[in-house]
């Protein structure tokens, strides 16, 4: 009997503890149909800066991943840097480097986070100069690359203000092969960000896209370094060339590389070259002869009698 009364008393106390007082009808009407609303978390500028520092420290891991790790406890940081801070930065797309590099660099195949450009629709341009000594009266060159195929051209200029004329030549070349460029990606150079350049490009029916400062178009910047290396190699292996012949060397190398496969061209099929994507036909021997300025021959002796490799060049004059 004593145990049953004790259990009954415990049940009554538990029921009393879980019951809530009924609110009067006037309070319910004044409060409205909803109960207590969730309080919006206030995100401070200091918390955003700390979260962006963590994002850079972890090699630009996506903010959504950092938010999920913060909720699960895998990421330990300051108390004010909550998962909501990372979610807010993800919505705002605060990291410019992530917003640019995630789709500006096509890779083999189409994978998440990359972008596949149509052939002849988007091109990137970059100015290199001043270069000494001048070549054929030119002190620099403008590099324009089609991002859909990897085909590019090198145009000599006497000053950076002639970039607009190079864009006109590129447009005429693309339209002669049946392509219609619609977008032009460029860095924050003094000419490219000018109103005259924007007006001229828009008059051609092309929308200029300026990349953020200090974060240029990655592909064309790397291609510019490749062109400079090609110029040095071409001058060294061709006795008929000197330092002032860097412009014809760059133009010849551009024609040769257009007949080789690139990562952008292989997205359209194995063994497809940028020359074929732009012109619509395969390169012939006449195209190769037109692109070369001399014959480079490497002569090797049999392995048993080999002493050193001998490299020689013919004495053909530049074409």
């Amino acid at each position: 009997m004593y145990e049953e009364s004790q259990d009954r008393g415990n049940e009554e106390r538990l029921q009393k503890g879980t019951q809530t007082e009924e609110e009067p009808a006037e309070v319910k009407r004044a409060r409205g149909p909803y109960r207590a609303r969730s309080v919006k978390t206030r995100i401070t500028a200091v918390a955003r800066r700390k979260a962006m520092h963590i994002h850079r420290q972890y090699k630009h891991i996506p903010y959504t991943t950092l938010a999920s790790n913060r909720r699960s406890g895998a990421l330990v940081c300051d108390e004010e840097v909550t998962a909501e801070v990372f979610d807010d930065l993800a919505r705002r797309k605060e990291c410019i480097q992530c917003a640019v590099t995630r789709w500006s660099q096509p890779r083999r195949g189409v994978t998440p986070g990359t972008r596949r450009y149509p052939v002849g629709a988007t091109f990137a341009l970059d100015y290199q100069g001043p270069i000494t000594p001048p070549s054929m009266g030119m002190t620099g060159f403008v590099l324009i690359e089609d991002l859909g195929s990897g085909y590019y051209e090198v145009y000599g200029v006497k000053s950076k203000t002639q970039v607009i004329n190079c864009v006109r030549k590129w447009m005429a070349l693309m339209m002669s092969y049946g392509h219609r460029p619609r977008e032009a990606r460029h860095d924050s150079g003094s000419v490219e960000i000018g109103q005259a350049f924007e007006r001229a490009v828009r008059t051609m029916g092309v929308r200029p896209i300026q990349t953020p400062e200090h974060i240029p178009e990655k592909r064309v910047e790397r291609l510019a370094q490749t062109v400079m290396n090609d110029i040095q190699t071409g001058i060294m292996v061709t006795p008929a060339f000197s330092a002032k012949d860097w412009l014809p060397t760059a133009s010849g190398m551009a024609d040769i590389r257009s007949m080789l496969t690139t990562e952008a061209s292989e997205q359209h099929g194995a063994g497809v070259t940028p020359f074929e994507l732009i012109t619509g036909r395969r390169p012939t021997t006449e195209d190769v002869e037109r692109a070369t300025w001399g014959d480079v021959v490497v002569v090797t002796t049999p392995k048993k009698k080999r002493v050193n490799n001998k490299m020689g060049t013919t004495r053909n004059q530049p074409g």
Side-chain angles (χ1 to χ4, degrees), residues 173-207:
L173 177 65
M174 290 293 105
M175 294 180 71
S176 65
Y177 289 121
H179 303 287
R180 187 64 176 87
R182 297 293 182 182
E183 295 179 350
R185 296 183 59 83
H186 59 84
D187 57 8
S188 55
S190 57
V191 174
E192 290 89 335
I193 63 176
Q195 294 182 358
F197 177 82
E198 183 177 358
R199 284 197 302 268
V201 172
R202 290 189 181 276
T203 303
M204 303 176 201
V206 178
R207 182 169 67 96

PDB file of all heavy atoms in Angstrom, residues 173-207:
ATOM      1  N   LEU A 173      38.445  38.209 -88.371  1.00  0.00           N
ATOM      2  CA  LEU A 173      38.935  36.849 -88.598  1.00  0.00           C
ATOM      3  C   LEU A 173      37.893  35.816 -88.200  1.00  0.00           C
ATOM      4  O   LEU A 173      37.628  34.859 -88.946  1.00  0.00           O
ATOM      5  CB  LEU A 173      40.230  36.634 -87.802  1.00  0.00           C
ATOM      6  CG  LEU A 173      40.836  35.228 -87.865  1.00  0.00           C
ATOM      7  CD1 LEU A 173      41.300  34.909 -89.284  1.00  0.00           C
ATOM      8  CD2 LEU A 173      42.003  35.104 -86.881  1.00  0.00           C
ATOM      9  N   MET A 174      37.286  35.987 -87.028  1.00  0.00           N
ATOM     10  CA  MET A 174      36.293  35.022 -86.573  1.00  0.00           C
ATOM     11  C   MET A 174      35.056  35.015 -87.469  1.00  0.00           C
ATOM     12  O   MET A 174      34.514  33.959 -87.792  1.00  0.00           O
ATOM     13  CB  MET A 174      35.887  35.338 -85.126  1.00  0.00           C
ATOM     14  CG  MET A 174      36.961  35.073 -84.084  1.00  0.00           C
ATOM     15  SD  MET A 174      37.350  33.314 -83.886  1.00  0.00           S
ATOM     16  CE  MET A 174      38.932  33.250 -84.737  1.00  0.00           C
ATOM     17  N   MET A 175      34.611  36.183 -87.881  1.00  0.00           N
ATOM     18  CA  MET A 175      33.421  36.246 -88.722  1.00  0.00           C
ATOM     19  C   MET A 175      33.691  35.702 -90.121  1.00  0.00           C
ATOM     20  O   MET A 175      32.783  35.205 -90.788  1.00  0.00           O
ATOM     21  CB  MET A 175      32.921  37.694 -88.790  1.00  0.00           C
ATOM     22  CG  MET A 175      32.422  38.226 -87.454  1.00  0.00           C
ATOM     23  SD  MET A 175      31.821  39.926 -87.502  1.00  0.00           S
ATOM     24  CE  MET A 175      30.315  39.719 -88.410  1.00  0.00           C
ATOM     25  N   SER A 176      34.951  35.759 -90.583  1.00  0.00           N
ATOM     26  CA  SER A 176      35.272  35.170 -91.883  1.00  0.00           C
ATOM     27  C   SER A 176      35.159  33.654 -91.855  1.00  0.00           C
ATOM     28  O   SER A 176      34.941  33.030 -92.899  1.00  0.00           O
ATOM     29  CB  SER A 176      36.689  35.576 -92.302  1.00  0.00           C
ATOM     30  OG  SER A 176      37.661  35.023 -91.419  1.00  0.00           O
ATOM     31  N   TYR A 177      35.308  33.056 -90.665  1.00  0.00           N
ATOM     32  CA  TYR A 177      35.161  31.609 -90.519  1.00  0.00           C
ATOM     33  C   TYR A 177      33.768  31.203 -90.027  1.00  0.00           C
ATOM     34  O   TYR A 177      33.543  30.045 -89.692  1.00  0.00           O
ATOM     35  CB  TYR A 177      36.203  31.066 -89.559  1.00  0.00           C
ATOM     36  CG  TYR A 177      37.608  31.085 -90.116  1.00  0.00           C
ATOM     37  CD1 TYR A 177      38.622  31.781 -89.474  1.00  0.00           C
ATOM     38  CD2 TYR A 177      37.921  30.410 -91.288  1.00  0.00           C
ATOM     39  CE1 TYR A 177      39.912  31.805 -89.985  1.00  0.00           C
ATOM     40  CE2 TYR A 177      39.205  30.431 -91.813  1.00  0.00           C
ATOM     41  CZ  TYR A 177      40.188  31.128 -91.152  1.00  0.00           C
ATOM     42  OH  TYR A 177      41.466  31.146 -91.663  1.00  0.00           O
ATOM     43  N   GLY A 178      32.858  32.154 -89.942  1.00  0.00           N
ATOM     44  CA  GLY A 178      31.483  31.834 -89.568  1.00  0.00           C
ATOM     45  C   GLY A 178      31.197  31.875 -88.085  1.00  0.00           C
ATOM     46  O   GLY A 178      30.147  31.374 -87.664  1.00  0.00           O
ATOM     47  N   HIS A 179      32.056  32.456 -87.270  1.00  0.00           N
ATOM     48  CA  HIS A 179      31.834  32.559 -85.828  1.00  0.00           C
ATOM     49  C   HIS A 179      31.441  33.990 -85.472  1.00  0.00           C
ATOM     50  O   HIS A 179      31.825  34.952 -86.145  1.00  0.00           O
ATOM     51  CB  HIS A 179      33.092  32.154 -85.057  1.00  0.00           C
ATOM     52  CG  HIS A 179      33.580  30.778 -85.381  1.00  0.00           C
ATOM     53  ND1 HIS A 179      32.942  29.636 -84.955  1.00  0.00           N
ATOM     54  CD2 HIS A 179      34.651  30.358 -86.112  1.00  0.00           C
ATOM     55  CE1 HIS A 179      33.588  28.574 -85.394  1.00  0.00           C
ATOM     56  NE2 HIS A 179      34.625  28.981 -86.102  1.00  0.00           N
ATOM     57  N   ARG A 180      30.705  34.120 -84.380  1.00  0.00           N
ATOM     58  CA  ARG A 180      30.250  35.434 -83.918  1.00  0.00           C
ATOM     59  C   ARG A 180      30.569  35.600 -82.446  1.00  0.00           C
ATOM     60  O   ARG A 180      29.830  35.145 -81.575  1.00  0.00           O
ATOM     61  CB  ARG A 180      28.744  35.577 -84.140  1.00  0.00           C
ATOM     62  CG  ARG A 180      28.204  36.994 -83.829  1.00  0.00           C
ATOM     63  CD  ARG A 180      28.799  38.007 -84.781  1.00  0.00           C
ATOM     64  NE  ARG A 180      28.261  39.331 -84.596  1.00  0.00           N
ATOM     65  CZ  ARG A 180      28.753  40.230 -83.719  1.00  0.00           C
ATOM     66  NH1 ARG A 180      29.788  39.913 -82.954  1.00  0.00           N
ATOM     67  NH2 ARG A 180      28.201  41.426 -83.632  1.00  0.00           N
ATOM     68  N   PRO A 181      31.704  36.226 -82.114  1.00  0.00           N
ATOM     69  CA  PRO A 181      32.035  36.450 -80.699  1.00  0.00           C
ATOM     70  C   PRO A 181      31.002  37.344 -80.019  1.00  0.00           C
ATOM     71  O   PRO A 181      30.532  38.323 -80.596  1.00  0.00           O
ATOM     72  CB  PRO A 181      33.412  37.115 -80.757  1.00  0.00           C
ATOM     73  CG  PRO A 181      33.971  36.730 -82.092  1.00  0.00           C
ATOM     74  CD  PRO A 181      32.788  36.640 -83.006  1.00  0.00           C
ATOM     75  N   ARG A 182      30.673  36.984 -78.776  1.00  0.00           N
ATOM     76  CA  ARG A 182      29.683  37.731 -78.006  1.00  0.00           C
ATOM     77  C   ARG A 182      30.247  38.318 -76.721  1.00  0.00           C
ATOM     78  O   ARG A 182      29.698  39.287 -76.201  1.00  0.00           O
ATOM     79  CB  ARG A 182      28.500  36.817 -77.658  1.00  0.00           C
ATOM     80  CG  ARG A 182      27.725  36.303 -78.869  1.00  0.00           C
ATOM     81  CD  ARG A 182      27.014  37.411 -79.584  1.00  0.00           C
ATOM     82  NE  ARG A 182      26.228  36.918 -80.714  1.00  0.00           N
ATOM     83  CZ  ARG A 182      25.543  37.715 -81.537  1.00  0.00           C
ATOM     84  NH1 ARG A 182      25.544  39.018 -81.353  1.00  0.00           N
ATOM     85  NH2 ARG A 182      24.869  37.194 -82.550  1.00  0.00           N
ATOM     86  N   GLU A 183      31.318  37.744 -76.180  1.00  0.00           N
ATOM     87  CA  GLU A 183      31.875  38.201 -74.903  1.00  0.00           C
ATOM     88  C   GLU A 183      33.382  38.343 -75.022  1.00  0.00           C
ATOM     89  O   GLU A 183      34.031  37.573 -75.738  1.00  0.00           O
ATOM     90  CB  GLU A 183      31.543  37.221 -73.776  1.00  0.00           C
ATOM     91  CG  GLU A 183      30.062  37.109 -73.463  1.00  0.00           C
ATOM     92  CD  GLU A 183      29.791  36.119 -72.354  1.00  0.00           C
ATOM     93  OE1 GLU A 183      30.742  35.389 -71.982  1.00  0.00           O
ATOM     94  OE2 GLU A 183      28.661  36.057 -71.856  1.00  0.00           O
ATOM     95  N   ALA A 184      33.911  39.338 -74.316  1.00  0.00           N
ATOM     96  CA  ALA A 184      35.354  39.581 -74.277  1.00  0.00           C
ATOM     97  C   ALA A 184      35.771  39.723 -72.826  1.00  0.00           C
ATOM     98  O   ALA A 184      35.277  40.612 -72.123  1.00  0.00           O
ATOM     99  CB  ALA A 184      35.719  40.839 -75.064  1.00  0.00           C
ATOM    100  N   ARG A 185      36.668  38.862 -72.388  1.00  0.00           N
ATOM    101  CA  ARG A 185      37.162  38.911 -71.016  1.00  0.00           C
ATOM    102  C   ARG A 185      38.532  39.589 -71.026  1.00  0.00           C
ATOM    103  O   ARG A 185      39.395  39.257 -71.837  1.00  0.00           O
ATOM    104  CB  ARG A 185      37.264  37.508 -70.424  1.00  0.00           C
ATOM    105  CG  ARG A 185      35.917  36.807 -70.297  1.00  0.00           C
ATOM    106  CD  ARG A 185      36.067  35.452 -69.637  1.00  0.00           C
ATOM    107  NE  ARG A 185      36.633  35.545 -68.314  1.00  0.00           N
ATOM    108  CZ  ARG A 185      35.938  35.827 -67.216  1.00  0.00           C
ATOM    109  NH1 ARG A 185      34.646  36.021 -67.293  1.00  0.00           N
ATOM    110  NH2 ARG A 185      36.524  35.884 -66.044  1.00  0.00           N
ATOM    111  N   HIS A 186      38.708  40.532 -70.101  1.00  0.00           N
ATOM    112  CA  HIS A 186      39.969  41.288 -70.048  1.00  0.00           C
ATOM    113  C   HIS A 186      40.272  41.634 -68.601  1.00  0.00           C
ATOM    114  O   HIS A 186      39.406  41.557 -67.713  1.00  0.00           O
ATOM    115  CB  HIS A 186      39.866  42.559 -70.896  1.00  0.00           C
ATOM    116  CG  HIS A 186      38.764  43.497 -70.459  1.00  0.00           C
ATOM    117  ND1 HIS A 186      38.934  44.409 -69.448  1.00  0.00           N
ATOM    118  CD2 HIS A 186      37.487  43.627 -70.881  1.00  0.00           C
ATOM    119  CE1 HIS A 186      37.814  45.081 -69.271  1.00  0.00           C
ATOM    120  NE2 HIS A 186      36.904  44.619 -70.120  1.00  0.00           N
ATOM    121  N   ASP A 187      41.521  42.013 -68.370  1.00  0.00           N
ATOM    122  CA  ASP A 187      41.932  42.385 -67.021  1.00  0.00           C
ATOM    123  C   ASP A 187      41.662  43.872 -66.790  1.00  0.00           C
ATOM    124  O   ASP A 187      41.024  44.539 -67.610  1.00  0.00           O
ATOM    125  CB  ASP A 187      43.405  42.028 -66.799  1.00  0.00           C
ATOM    126  CG  ASP A 187      44.308  42.688 -67.828  1.00  0.00           C
ATOM    127  OD1 ASP A 187      43.807  43.533 -68.611  1.00  0.00           O
ATOM    128  OD2 ASP A 187      45.510  42.362 -67.870  1.00  0.00           O
ATOM    129  N   SER A 188      42.173  44.389 -65.682  1.00  0.00           N
ATOM    130  CA  SER A 188      41.910  45.777 -65.307  1.00  0.00           C
ATOM    131  C   SER A 188      43.036  46.684 -65.766  1.00  0.00           C
ATOM    132  O   SER A 188      43.577  47.484 -64.993  1.00  0.00           O
ATOM    133  CB  SER A 188      41.722  45.890 -63.790  1.00  0.00           C
ATOM    134  OG  SER A 188      42.850  45.332 -63.124  1.00  0.00           O
ATOM    135  N   GLY A 189      43.439  46.553 -67.042  1.00  0.00           N
ATOM    136  CA  GLY A 189      44.458  47.432 -67.585  1.00  0.00           C
ATOM    137  C   GLY A 189      43.935  48.840 -67.798  1.00  0.00           C
ATOM    138  O   GLY A 189      42.729  49.106 -67.787  1.00  0.00           O
ATOM    139  N   SER A 190      44.869  49.766 -68.037  1.00  0.00           N
ATOM    140  CA  SER A 190      44.488  51.175 -68.160  1.00  0.00           C
ATOM    141  C   SER A 190      43.636  51.424 -69.394  1.00  0.00           C
ATOM    142  O   SER A 190      42.770  52.306 -69.400  1.00  0.00           O
ATOM    143  CB  SER A 190      45.743  52.049 -68.208  1.00  0.00           C
ATOM    144  OG  SER A 190      46.577  51.650 -69.287  1.00  0.00           O
ATOM    145  N   VAL A 191      43.856  50.664 -70.467  1.00  0.00           N
ATOM    146  CA  VAL A 191      43.071  50.857 -71.689  1.00  0.00           C
ATOM    147  C   VAL A 191      41.772  50.061 -71.634  1.00  0.00           C
ATOM    148  O   VAL A 191      40.706  50.550 -72.011  1.00  0.00           O
ATOM    149  CB  VAL A 191      43.913  50.443 -72.918  1.00  0.00           C
ATOM    150  CG1 VAL A 191      43.065  50.489 -74.180  1.00  0.00           C
ATOM    151  CG2 VAL A 191      45.103  51.359 -73.060  1.00  0.00           C
ATOM    152  N   GLU A 192      41.836  48.811 -71.136  1.00  0.00           N
ATOM    153  CA  GLU A 192      40.665  47.941 -71.149  1.00  0.00           C
ATOM    154  C   GLU A 192      39.534  48.464 -70.275  1.00  0.00           C
ATOM    155  O   GLU A 192      38.361  48.199 -70.547  1.00  0.00           O
ATOM    156  CB  GLU A 192      41.045  46.525 -70.701  1.00  0.00           C
ATOM    157  CG  GLU A 192      41.900  45.779 -71.712  1.00  0.00           C
ATOM    158  CD  GLU A 192      43.378  46.021 -71.490  1.00  0.00           C
ATOM    159  OE1 GLU A 192      43.721  47.076 -70.913  1.00  0.00           O
ATOM    160  OE2 GLU A 192      44.191  45.167 -71.873  1.00  0.00           O
ATOM    161  N   ILE A 193      39.865  49.195 -69.213  1.00  0.00           N
ATOM    162  CA  ILE A 193      38.820  49.700 -68.333  1.00  0.00           C
ATOM    163  C   ILE A 193      38.356  51.091 -68.755  1.00  0.00           C
ATOM    164  O   ILE A 193      37.511  51.693 -68.094  1.00  0.00           O
ATOM    165  CB  ILE A 193      39.298  49.733 -66.865  1.00  0.00           C
ATOM    166  CG1 ILE A 193      40.471  50.697 -66.702  1.00  0.00           C
ATOM    167  CG2 ILE A 193      39.648  48.348 -66.386  1.00  0.00           C
ATOM    168  CD1 ILE A 193      40.939  50.860 -65.278  1.00  0.00           C
ATOM    169  N   GLY A 194      38.907  51.619 -69.849  1.00  0.00           N
ATOM    170  CA  GLY A 194      38.520  52.943 -70.309  1.00  0.00           C
ATOM    171  C   GLY A 194      37.168  52.935 -71.012  1.00  0.00           C
ATOM    172  O   GLY A 194      36.699  51.917 -71.517  1.00  0.00           O
ATOM    173  N   GLN A 195      36.534  54.102 -71.043  1.00  0.00           N
ATOM    174  CA  GLN A 195      35.214  54.201 -71.662  1.00  0.00           C
ATOM    175  C   GLN A 195      35.302  54.049 -73.173  1.00  0.00           C
ATOM    176  O   GLN A 195      34.382  53.506 -73.801  1.00  0.00           O
ATOM    177  CB  GLN A 195      34.585  55.548 -71.307  1.00  0.00           C
ATOM    178  CG  GLN A 195      34.271  55.711 -69.829  1.00  0.00           C
ATOM    179  CD  GLN A 195      33.615  57.035 -69.529  1.00  0.00           C
ATOM    180  OE1 GLN A 195      33.415  57.856 -70.433  1.00  0.00           O
ATOM    181  NE2 GLN A 195      33.270  57.264 -68.271  1.00  0.00           N
ATOM    182  N   ALA A 196      36.418  54.508 -73.786  1.00  0.00           N
ATOM    183  CA  ALA A 196      36.556  54.386 -75.237  1.00  0.00           C
ATOM    184  C   ALA A 196      36.612  52.922 -75.658  1.00  0.00           C
ATOM    185  O   ALA A 196      35.992  52.524 -76.650  1.00  0.00           O
ATOM    186  CB  ALA A 196      37.813  55.130 -75.703  1.00  0.00           C
ATOM    187  N   PHE A 197      37.338  52.106 -74.893  1.00  0.00           N
ATOM    188  CA  PHE A 197      37.425  50.681 -75.212  1.00  0.00           C
ATOM    189  C   PHE A 197      36.064  50.010 -75.050  1.00  0.00           C
ATOM    190  O   PHE A 197      35.639  49.227 -75.912  1.00  0.00           O
ATOM    191  CB  PHE A 197      38.454  50.019 -74.298  1.00  0.00           C
ATOM    192  CG  PHE A 197      38.574  48.530 -74.477  1.00  0.00           C
ATOM    193  CD1 PHE A 197      39.352  48.005 -75.499  1.00  0.00           C
ATOM    194  CD2 PHE A 197      37.912  47.656 -73.637  1.00  0.00           C
ATOM    195  CE1 PHE A 197      39.459  46.637 -75.681  1.00  0.00           C
ATOM    196  CE2 PHE A 197      38.013  46.288 -73.805  1.00  0.00           C
ATOM    197  CZ  PHE A 197      38.796  45.779 -74.832  1.00  0.00           C
ATOM    198  N   GLU A 198      35.354  50.331 -73.991  1.00  0.00           N
ATOM    199  CA  GLU A 198      34.042  49.707 -73.759  1.00  0.00           C
ATOM    200  C   GLU A 198      33.047  50.098 -74.845  1.00  0.00           C
ATOM    201  O   GLU A 198      32.299  49.260 -75.346  1.00  0.00           O
ATOM    202  CB  GLU A 198      33.510  50.115 -72.390  1.00  0.00           C
ATOM    203  CG  GLU A 198      32.188  49.454 -72.031  1.00  0.00           C
ATOM    204  CD  GLU A 198      31.724  49.821 -70.635  1.00  0.00           C
ATOM    205  OE1 GLU A 198      32.459  50.554 -69.948  1.00  0.00           O
ATOM    206  OE2 GLU A 198      30.619  49.390 -70.258  1.00  0.00           O
ATOM    207  N   ARG A 199      33.062  51.388 -75.236  1.00  0.00           N
ATOM    208  CA  ARG A 199      32.141  51.822 -76.289  1.00  0.00           C
ATOM    209  C   ARG A 199      32.454  51.140 -77.611  1.00  0.00           C
ATOM    210  O   ARG A 199      31.547  50.694 -78.333  1.00  0.00           O
ATOM    211  CB  ARG A 199      32.216  53.340 -76.456  1.00  0.00           C
ATOM    212  CG  ARG A 199      31.516  54.131 -75.376  1.00  0.00           C
ATOM    213  CD  ARG A 199      31.286  55.553 -75.826  1.00  0.00           C
ATOM    214  NE  ARG A 199      32.554  56.208 -76.172  1.00  0.00           N
ATOM    215  CZ  ARG A 199      33.286  56.924 -75.335  1.00  0.00           C
ATOM    216  NH1 ARG A 199      32.878  57.087 -74.083  1.00  0.00           N
ATOM    217  NH2 ARG A 199      34.407  57.496 -75.721  1.00  0.00           N
ATOM    218  N   ALA A 200      33.762  51.038 -77.940  1.00  0.00           N
ATOM    219  CA  ALA A 200      34.139  50.416 -79.209  1.00  0.00           C
ATOM    220  C   ALA A 200      33.771  48.941 -79.242  1.00  0.00           C
ATOM    221  O   ALA A 200      33.275  48.433 -80.255  1.00  0.00           O
ATOM    222  CB  ALA A 200      35.644  50.601 -79.442  1.00  0.00           C
ATOM    223  N   VAL A 201      33.990  48.235 -78.114  1.00  0.00           N
ATOM    224  CA  VAL A 201      33.688  46.807 -78.078  1.00  0.00           C
ATOM    225  C   VAL A 201      32.187  46.568 -78.137  1.00  0.00           C
ATOM    226  O   VAL A 201      31.704  45.668 -78.836  1.00  0.00           O
ATOM    227  CB  VAL A 201      34.315  46.168 -76.823  1.00  0.00           C
ATOM    228  CG1 VAL A 201      33.862  44.732 -76.662  1.00  0.00           C
ATOM    229  CG2 VAL A 201      35.829  46.215 -76.912  1.00  0.00           C
ATOM    230  N   ARG A 202      31.417  47.379 -77.434  1.00  0.00           N
ATOM    231  CA  ARG A 202      29.963  47.218 -77.463  1.00  0.00           C
ATOM    232  C   ARG A 202      29.406  47.569 -78.840  1.00  0.00           C
ATOM    233  O   ARG A 202      28.369  47.018 -79.248  1.00  0.00           O
ATOM    234  CB  ARG A 202      29.320  48.081 -76.384  1.00  0.00           C
ATOM    235  CG  ARG A 202      29.584  47.576 -74.970  1.00  0.00           C
ATOM    236  CD  ARG A 202      28.754  48.316 -73.948  1.00  0.00           C
ATOM    237  NE  ARG A 202      29.018  47.840 -72.601  1.00  0.00           N
ATOM    238  CZ  ARG A 202      28.451  46.777 -72.049  1.00  0.00           C
ATOM    239  NH1 ARG A 202      27.553  46.082 -72.744  1.00  0.00           N
ATOM    240  NH2 ARG A 202      28.739  46.418 -70.815  1.00  0.00           N
ATOM    241  N   THR A 203      30.057  48.487 -79.548  1.00  0.00           N
ATOM    242  CA  THR A 203      29.620  48.801 -80.908  1.00  0.00           C
ATOM    243  C   THR A 203      29.762  47.587 -81.822  1.00  0.00           C
ATOM    244  O   THR A 203      28.966  47.404 -82.759  1.00  0.00           O
ATOM    245  CB  THR A 203      30.437  49.979 -81.460  1.00  0.00           C
ATOM    246  OG1 THR A 203      30.302  51.098 -80.583  1.00  0.00           O
ATOM    247  CG2 THR A 203      29.959  50.376 -82.846  1.00  0.00           C
ATOM    248  N   MET A 204      30.758  46.744 -81.560  1.00  0.00           N
ATOM    249  CA  MET A 204      30.942  45.528 -82.344  1.00  0.00           C
ATOM    250  C   MET A 204      29.957  44.424 -81.953  1.00  0.00           C
ATOM    251  O   MET A 204      29.975  43.341 -82.548  1.00  0.00           O
ATOM    252  CB  MET A 204      32.365  44.998 -82.157  1.00  0.00           C
ATOM    253  CG  MET A 204      33.458  45.962 -82.508  1.00  0.00           C
ATOM    254  SD  MET A 204      35.091  45.290 -82.156  1.00  0.00           S
ATOM    255  CE  MET A 204      36.076  46.775 -82.057  1.00  0.00           C
ATOM    256  N   GLY A 205      29.119  44.666 -80.959  1.00  0.00           N
ATOM    257  CA  GLY A 205      28.171  43.646 -80.512  1.00  0.00           C
ATOM    258  C   GLY A 205      28.757  42.675 -79.520  1.00  0.00           C
ATOM    259  O   GLY A 205      28.233  41.565 -79.361  1.00  0.00           O
ATOM    260  N   VAL A 206      29.828  43.083 -78.817  1.00  0.00           N
ATOM    261  CA  VAL A 206      30.508  42.222 -77.851  1.00  0.00           C
ATOM    262  C   VAL A 206      30.360  42.835 -76.468  1.00  0.00           C
ATOM    263  O   VAL A 206      30.507  44.054 -76.299  1.00  0.00           O
ATOM    264  CB  VAL A 206      32.005  42.050 -78.196  1.00  0.00           C
ATOM    265  CG1 VAL A 206      32.709  41.187 -77.165  1.00  0.00           C
ATOM    266  CG2 VAL A 206      32.161  41.461 -79.586  1.00  0.00           C
ATOM    267  N   ARG A 207      30.069  41.999 -75.490  1.00  0.00           N
ATOM    268  CA  ARG A 207      29.921  42.473 -74.105  1.00  0.00           C
ATOM    269  C   ARG A 207      31.254  42.321 -73.379  1.00  0.00           C
ATOM    270  O   ARG A 207      31.747  41.208 -73.201  1.00  0.00           O
ATOM    271  CB  ARG A 207      28.849  41.677 -73.371  1.00  0.00           C
ATOM    272  CG  ARG A 207      28.603  42.136 -71.932  1.00  0.00           C
ATOM    273  CD  ARG A 207      27.356  41.467 -71.393  1.00  0.00           C
ATOM    274  NE  ARG A 207      27.541  40.039 -71.249  1.00  0.00           N
ATOM    275  CZ  ARG A 207      27.893  39.435 -70.104  1.00  0.00           C
ATOM    276  NH1 ARG A 207      28.111  40.156 -69.011  1.00  0.00           N
ATOM    277  NH2 ARG A 207      28.011  38.128 -70.038  1.00  0.00           N
TER     278      ARG A 207
END
